[in-house]
Amino acid sequence: MGNESLWYPFTPSSGPNPHQIVKGEGKYVFDYLGDRLLDATAGGVACVILGHGRKEIAKAVQEQLEELEYYCLFGYSHPLAEKFAHEIAQRTPGDLNHVFFTNSGSEAVETALKAARAFWYRNNQAQKTKFISLHNGYHGMNFGGISIGGLTENRTTFGPLLSGCTQVPAHDIGLLQEEIEFQNPETIAAVIMEPVQAAGGVYPPPEGYLTEVRELCDRNNILLILDEVVCGWGRLGHWFGGHRYGVVADIMTTAKGLTSAYIPMGATIVNERIHQNFIGGGNIEFMHGYTYSGHPAACAAGLTVVNILEKENIVSNANSVGRHLQERMRELVESPIVKEVRGEGMLAAVEFDSEDCFGTVTQVVIAMQKQGILIRAQEDHVGIYPPLTFTKEDIDTVVDGLTDVIGKLS
Ligand SMILES: Cc1ncc(COP(=O)(O)O)c(C=O)c1O
């Protein structure tokens, strides 16, 4: 398989042709050979929280396309955008009540950064423009996202980046405080981080860290942006990472689970204080938007996702199955080739301890695939982030497979 016209994202052009996935059904996908694979990656990158092929989502999208395929939200509205924004606001932590629709997580991050700067500008504190984020953080691939991103390989070759962005080592409150003092709080717009660092290797914060970050931001009059693109919608066994860690951000980003990836969509949600600041004045207060912001088909998908999450108690399933996943994953640390096992809720990683880490990762992923199980290959670790519909038995299938594969390599 493979196609010369297709320029793949995040894929080496000289490697083997990417494996073609042709069909999805519940927890499984089928490849071009007709082989059935248990998808422990929710579509590869932790998106498809409800699993594949949900007919009710497809039906809702089709019905909406037949009713109204598209109308822009620039000075117009449509019922589903209003309804979906309301349903999102009902579930987000605290007073994160105002939803700005985007088409991806990267755009949600870009929107959050622009909203933070514009907020201070409108507040007569236009000097507050800087952003502080964490080493190893991932915030998407737009210029804003890579400027605050903490993964070196995503930044190289694209400079110069957005000015005023610095990173500190993750999960060290003292170092964050020092950086805030060094930069001067009067010049800082926001601190931004993921509740659990996902793409960077699955690093949960120590208990209490996010509360300390919130307090630090409050003391210094700095906004806190939580990037919940992965952590939101049940991934951590709670509706949002903010709920899991007892913290309410000023601005929150989401995507992926928002529509279970049936239609691309992201959103940036701001609290009352920020929203109030943008209200009034007659002219357009926030000169920002995307042609497809709040696309009716995406809203139809998202509303159905929220409905299913509620009806089938998916978040509570993620909570109990997530605990089981974490417990079972701990067994893998016994292996001499395993350096560390990390995770929270339905998000887990195994990091390897070998000279050729990526070689080991590749061997593990291929061997798992031969057993009919898809897990994610990253530089030095494998990632497991299944649909939130997985049962404890599904988790056992994945961990038993990993135990077997890793045992043979040790
Ligand atoms: C925390 C976080 N923020 C932003 C993004 C970017 O989202 P997208 O790929 O939809 O642009 C991602 C993607 O994985 C992410 O994990």
Side-chain angles (χ1 to χ4, degrees), residues 45 104-107 109 138-141 194 198-199 227 229-230 255-256:
V45 283
S104 66
S106 297
E107 285 182 1
V109 168
Y138 183 85
H139 300 289
M141 284 292 112
E194 301 158 82
D227 184 351
V229 166
V230 170
K256 297 193 189 257

Side-chain angles (χ1 to χ4, degrees), residues 101-296:
F101 286 117
T102 68
N103 306 293
S104 66
S106 297
E107 285 182 1
V109 168
E110 194 77 8
T111 301
L113 301 180
K114 288 175 81 173
R117 279 194 177 172
F119 167 79
W120 292 116
Y121 182 90
R122 293 175 59 82
N123 233 358
N124 300 321
Q125 287 172 275
Q127 79 288 354
K128 282 172 82 68
T129 57
K130 293 180 187 165
F131 298 108
I132 302 180
S133 51
L134 303 185
H135 286 179
N136 216 39
Y138 183 85
H139 300 289
M141 284 292 112
N142 287 355
F143 269 109
I146 60 170
S147 303
I148 57 165
L151 295 164
T152 322
E153 63 275 21
N154 292 337
R155 302 156 61 94
T156 336
T157 80
F158 300 117
L161 303 180
L162 193 65
S163 62
C165 300
T166 56
Q167 285 80 38
V168 293
H171 305 154
D172 184 324
I173 197 69
L175 292 179
L176 179 60
Q177 181 165 357
E178 270 175 31
E179 183 67 13
I180 288 173
E181 282 160 17
F182 178 71
Q183 292 290 339
N184 178 4
E186 293 299 311
T187 66
I188 301 169
V191 164
I192 174 164
M193 60 186 63
E194 301 158 82
V196 172
Q197 294 193 314
V202 185
Y203 289 94
E207 291 300 332
Y209 173 75
L210 287 174
T211 312
E212 289 179 316
V213 171
R214 176 72 270 183
E215 287 164 6
L216 195 55
C217 287
D218 289 343
R219 277 202 306 280
N220 289 285
N221 197 25
I222 294 168
L223 300 177
L224 173 61
I225 305 172
L226 281 185
D227 184 351
E228 297 241 18
V229 166
V230 170
C231 296
W233 303 105
R235 176 61 55 197
L236 304 182
H238 298 258
W239 278 93
F240 289 95
H243 294 121
R244 161 63 184 85
Y245 293 105
V247 167
V248 182
D250 298 295
I251 305 178
M252 189 187 99
T253 57
T254 172
K256 297 193 189 257
L258 175 66
T259 56
S260 192
Y262 278 69
I263 301 276
M265 190 180 222
T268 304
I269 302 126
V270 304
N271 67 8
E272 293 295 346
R273 175 183 172 219
I274 293 178
H275 191 250
Q276 275 305 316
N277 178 270
F278 282 97
I279 301 292
N283 298 323
I284 295 172
E285 294 93 355
F286 190 38
M287 193 55 84
H288 181 66
Y290 301 104
T291 294
Y292 300 122
S293 286
H295 192 284

Side-chain angles (χ1 to χ4, degrees), residues 28 47 56 70 75 87 95 106 123 125 155 181 185 198 221 251 255 264 275 287 312 317 372 374 390 395:
Y28 300 97
C47 289
E56 55 278 58
Y70 171 73
E87 294 298 327
D95 65 343
S106 297
N123 233 358
Q125 287 172 275
R155 302 156 61 94
E181 282 160 17
N221 197 25
I251 305 178
H275 191 250
M287 193 55 84
E312 298 182 12
N317 183 66
L374 286 177
F390 257 41
I395 295 296

